[in-house]
Amino acid sequence: MIEAKKQLPRGEFDAWVKANTKVSRANAYRYMDVAQNWSCLDSLNVETISDALVALGKADPRTKPATSNLPTLTEDDAEYTLKIAALAEGWTRTRPGGRGWFP
């Protein structure tokens, strides 16, 4: 999503998110915020998007957010996000049953 946003003309990212993902605009920005700061979060053992946003100072740790507003990032969500990133970069998963992404 980060790469797609960089490549799109100003003001077109929200429409791209709606057309190409299953996440809301707000969650797209949350996911990108976590991804951009992953090097800081990696050592903190965060398990959810909510934990990551609290660690980044983007959410109040005393307030438990509603799960519908800040869903946990499941393995399927992560795989979907990687697919979007790979498509934006021109990569595909070419080996059936294989692991990894290939140009």
Side-chain angles (χ1 to χ4, degrees), residues 3-94:
E3 289 302 315
K5 187 174 189 315
K6 288 178 186 177
Q7 294 175 19
L8 290 167
R10 180 173 166 79
E12 300 212 5
F13 180 67
D14 292 353
W16 183 90
V17 168
K18 187 174 183 178
N20 294 284
T21 74
K22 296 178 183 180
V23 300
S24 68
R25 173 192 180 277
N27 281 341
Y29 281 92
R30 287 180 184 114
Y31 294 159
M32 289 190 304
D33 207 13
V34 169
Q36 288 170 325
N37 293 287
W38 188 252
S39 62
C40 300
L41 296 168
D42 194 29
S43 63
L44 298 178
N45 196 28
V46 295
E47 294 182 9
T48 66
I49 294 292
S50 298
D51 292 345
L53 292 170
V54 167
L56 293 171
K58 307 278 182 169
D60 186 343
R62 295 169 296 177
T63 306
K64 185 175 180 179
T67 56
S68 62
N69 291 338
L70 294 172
T72 58
L73 184 65
T74 66
E75 189 173 330
D76 288 341
D77 293 334
E79 180 70 18
Y80 187 74
T81 303
L82 288 172
K83 287 178 184 177
I84 292 169
L87 289 172
E89 294 175 5
W91 289 55
T92 59
R93 192 171 206 158
T94 57

